Amino acid sequence: MITGFQCGSPFNTETVTGKFRRGEGKIPYLKKEGRAKFSYRLEKEDVVYGLGENVRGINKRGWIYESFNTDNCYHREDTKSLYGAHNFLIIDGKEQFGIFFDYPGRITFDIGYSDPDLLKIELQDEDFGLYVIGTDAHKTCGYSAMEDIVRQFRRLIGRSYIPPKWAFGYGQSRWGYLNEADVRDVAEGYRNAGIGLDMVYLDIDYMERYKDFTVNREAYPDFAGLVSDMKKSGVHLVPIIDAAIKVESGYDVYEEGAANDYFCKDEEGNDYIAGAWPGRVVLPDVLNDKVRRWFGQKYKILIDMGIEGFWNDMNEPSIFFSEKYLAEVFRKLDKFRDENLDLEKFGEFGELVGKISNNPVYYKEFYHRTDSGVCLHEQVHNLYGYNLTRAAGEAFEELCPNHRILIFSRSSCIGMHRYGGIWTGDNQSFWEHLLMNMKMMPSLNMCGFLYTGADLGGFGSDTTQDLLMRWLAFGVFTPLMRNHSSIGTRRQEAYQFPGAAEIGNIIQLRYILLPYIYSEYVKAALGDDMYMKPLAFVYPEDDFAKEVEDQLMVGESIMIAPVYRQNAGGRYVYLPERMLMVRYQSPKQMQKEIVEKGHHYVEIGLKEVVFFILPDHLVPISSGGSCVEQIDFENLRIMGFVETYAEYKLYDDDGYTRDYDNPRCFTQIRAAKGKKLVWEGEKNSIEYFEF
Ligand code: GLC
């Protein structure tokens, strides 16, 4: 049951699309401490879930988080905000409930930071929507209370985005592929090493001087030809689109936008000039319907060249400088020229220069003209990335009604999950960022972001072969499986390493598991469910499961326990019940072993991926392929742990149209111990896989 409260006159974020009961008067569970302040007393055993993209644990207790989208590639344990704002929390204790703040400005969630027993929430102003979700799951049965709260919340915010099937393949990205030859080299590198590949991502280098919707003709003399060639070999090229538009006369996107007043304005009503990759830029005012439509239609330029997927970047928006602030810096800098830069003076000097990039003051310098009137950017800050991606998502439905287009974004806010996926932004090639990736996934799923994943191998810093292998072994299970790295770092394509064959085997497991991954993904989207869950959501009665933060449930049949420490030959794994352990080394080398409930040390070699199948559960698999198109989805095999009887509802479709609810997409598979497997549906053959 969801009760929605309207406090003051909230900005219409268009996030809530589902039904709820209008609440009046007292807000349940929370104590009001002021007009925009709430508190909740936490019992010792209470667990707090949610907040999507954030640092720290699956249990968010013990830190202070701030929803205010921030470009921060050096994030660490003490970071408060990342690229997304996901204001959904669940309390699991004697009382079990969810809360969602529909609010586009800054909010802080102090979850036992100031006082270990207190949850304190503070919003920047008094106009917001607040939704409280109760649960009576114990009566309805089937789901745990946590799963029930998530499903209700997800029904409130609408169905999650489903990308085309090929987007579930493995992709290679790097900032610094400069031209057609570089791109062909990558595809060839993978092909020669016999490693699967579905996507090569094009970073800002493909554009002409970093101008959106342009292609550098010197570097790519026949872009459409390249796109088509690549597609023939099963590889999709996926270009980046940045939020900011270069100020340049003669550049049609800029000129059109300027002529129609489509850009954000400064206090005087002039186009607000900021700095980004192209130098001086303007920001499309995508909080305005007309502008959103205009910006969305621009993707057609690349779609017409054969492109079927995009990633939207720098849309917090990330601002390197504002023209106003920069002028001030130059003026003040002169003052330091003849100074003796002692401790204090050097500090001042450093502060002046060091705070240029992404200074929060910029968000107070420009305005949007929305349907609800003019507003200062800072008040609606978290909606910018959402609406930039919404612009694309809405345009795609119009431009390609019978074709899904891949789109994922860096910045986000709940609501955007209907239009696209996200990647988790710039991380580093650190082992701790692999662990962070694991913990973040279920939190993102709770908030509706299912198509998501991190830069595998790490974006910044030099990776190592073992980190890449362990990260890929986890990435096999994340819907977005992309290896991405920054210019200036060590090359990290799988084929660059001495262990390329073994890395290739790990990637191949993705293609083997794809029928299961795709089926579980789409079922989660259609059923408002999570694709990756904390153990505690599935085993709510198991107190130990509540504390497990480095193992995850993947879909209904699999549990994973990835290795995330360097030089570790294995790890401790907790099994809430007896499971079938699958040890994968290569498509031809897989072993199984039944492991009893409890704690175990499991050896997991660098070349191996180990996962666990739940009792009386099935996992449909393929025989693999070098890209998604090559996978035979008609003749499948089943990996299973059938102690008595198991059923599996398989979802599959053509991979590109949007007829998701068609009953023909479902095949019911039944397996009874010792009996031949049976299925109802349109598949040619489904066999039990003995290994
Ligand atoms: C940003 C993106 C990163 C990209 C880079 C260059 O840092 O997050 O993925 O490679 O910009 O476009």
Side-chain angles (χ1 to χ4, degrees), residues 200-432:
V200 174
Y201 290 84
L202 302 180
D203 208 315
I204 47 172
D205 323 276
Y206 82 91
M207 300 179 198
E208 187 198 306
R209 300 304 308 156
Y210 315 121
K211 288 184 288 189
D212 275 349
F213 311 111
T214 68
V215 174
N216 179 338
R217 289 287 165 199
E218 258 170 58
Y220 294 89
D222 177 15
F223 188 72
L226 175 69
V227 174
S228 147
D229 265 14
M230 285 285 169
K231 222 182 275 179
K232 277 183 211 140
S233 62
V235 174
H236 285 81
L237 295 189
V238 183
I240 194 170
I241 299 293
D242 283 333
I245 301 291
K246 184 174 189 195
V247 175
E248 185 181 271
S249 58
Y251 168 34
D252 53 353
V253 181
Y254 168 68
E255 295 229 336
E256 243 177 77
N260 289 293
D261 262 340
Y262 284 164
F263 302 128
C264 294
K265 301 288 180 195
D266 65 15
E267 216 168 7
E268 280 83 45
N270 301 314
D271 286 347
Y272 177 70
I273 310 290
W277 304 126
R280 293 172 77 241
V281 294
V282 282
L283 297 165
D285 189 357
V286 284
L287 268 64
N288 177 294
D289 272 356
K290 228 159 113 188
V291 181
R292 204 160 55 233
R293 212 186 122 67
W294 167 75
F295 193 81
Q297 292 296 320
K298 293 288 165 218
Y299 286 80
K300 185 169 185 301
I301 296 170
L302 289 152
I303 290 176
D304 286 347
M305 296 186 207
I307 293 296
E308 293 176 288
F310 300 89
W311 45 310
N312 276 354
D313 191 22
M314 306 297 276
N315 48 0
E316 291 70 32
S318 181
I319 297 180
F320 296 169
F321 58 83
S322 77
E323 200 166 53
K324 189 171 157 194
Y325 190 87
L326 199 63
E328 183 76 1
V329 171
F330 281 127
R331 197 178 57 75
K332 287 188 180 156
L333 265 183
D334 231 23
K335 199 178 83 177
F336 289 98
R337 198 186 297 275
D338 304 316
E339 289 272 1
N340 173 34
L341 297 181
D342 63 6
L343 177 64
E344 287 76 20
K345 279 283 162 223
F346 186 71
E348 255 182 70
F349 173 78
E351 175 112 337
L352 183 65
V353 180
K355 289 211 166 150
I356 295 183
S357 187
N358 285 315
N359 192 315
V361 79
Y362 305 150
Y363 299 138
K364 296 180 198 286
E365 289 179 347
F366 65 96
Y367 297 81
H368 298 275
R369 283 170 302 169
T370 72
D371 286 344
S372 336
V374 174
C375 49
L376 180 65
H377 174 79
E378 193 191 38
Q379 292 167 336
V380 287
H381 173 68
N382 293 334
L383 292 179
Y384 194 77
Y386 164 9
N387 280 285
L388 200 91
T389 298
R390 180 176 171 186
E394 284 174 341
F396 297 157
E397 289 191 15
E398 202 184 308
L399 295 169
C400 316
N402 299 317
H403 229 89
R404 281 176 247 166
I405 299 287
L406 169 64
I407 176 85
F408 59 92
S409 165
R410 188 170 75 177
S411 181
S412 65
C413 184
I414 294 179
M416 204 206 83
H417 70 286
R418 298 195 296 270
Y419 302 97
I422 54 173
W423 90 100
T424 55
D426 295 347
N427 56 11
Q428 302 289 325
S429 298
F430 296 165
W431 290 87
E432 63 196 80

Side-chain angles (χ1 to χ4, degrees), residues 180-198:
E180 170 166 346
D182 283 356
V183 171
R184 285 190 189 275
D185 273 358
V186 174
E188 210 177 288
Y190 274 96
R191 205 167 32 246
N192 292 344
I195 305 175
L197 184 73
D198 265 273

Side-chain angles (χ1 to χ4, degrees), residues 5 8 13 35 49 103 152 156 165 185 235 248 276 287 289 305 314 347 441 479 520 578 592 613 630 667 688:
F5 296 86
T13 64
R35 292 174 78 90
Y49 295 107
Y103 176 68
Q152 291 188 59
L156 180 74
K165 201 191 267 180
D185 273 358
V235 174
E248 185 181 271
L287 268 64
D289 272 356
M305 296 186 207
M314 306 297 276
M441 290 298 291
E520 287 304 306
R578 162 187 163 91
K592 61 183 177 185
I613 302 179
Q630 271 201 2
T667 303
Y688 216 85

